[in-house]
Amino acid sequence: GPCAREALDFVMKQAFGRLWSNKLMVHLLDTESECRAFLLNAGFELEGVQREVLYSGGRWHNLDCLGLFRIKAGYGPYPGPEPQENR
């Protein structure tokens, strides 16, 4: 919803603008489908899955890792040397 978008915008502004971070990473359980869809729609990409890391509700759950680089978020290139994986 609008509050989630506002919160994500605030986090991106702090991370990419104020702190000059190169990348944001989010970890979420495989049951959090609405959150995953929101983040993918916001530009995050699935970077990997840790399989069966949490047992809850009678079953094992995976932990997804999503990432977003500052350049893809529209904050311009990192001001220092370019990280190796972006070359």
Side-chain angles (χ1 to χ4, degrees):
C3 291
R5 184 71 232 188
E6 184 178 339
L8 181 58
D9 288 343
F10 175 79
V11 168
M12 289 193 314
K13 184 176 180 183
Q14 294 300 306
F16 296 137
R18 183 168 169 255
L19 300 174
W20 288 97
S21 298
N22 187 50
K23 181 179 184 180
L24 283 177
M25 294 181 69
V26 177
H27 292 89
L28 61 149
L29 293 172
D30 55 8
T31 56
E32 299 177 284
S33 56
E34 288 183 30
C35 184
R36 181 185 304 96
F38 168 75
L39 292 170
L40 292 172
N41 188 51
F44 281 77
E45 296 178 0
L46 181 64
E47 297 197 340
V49 177
Q50 295 179 27
R51 296 177 55 208
E52 300 179 351
V53 296
L54 174 73
Y55 188 81
S56 176
R59 73 178 193 94
W60 286 98
H61 296 274
N62 296 336
L63 187 65
D64 295 341
C65 178
L66 283 73
L68 176 66
F69 284 101
R70 68 178 288 113
I71 195 94
K72 186 169 182 187
Y75 282 84
Y78 186 72
E82 187 174 339
Q84 190 69 27
E85 62 271 2
N86 284 350
R87 294 184 187 165

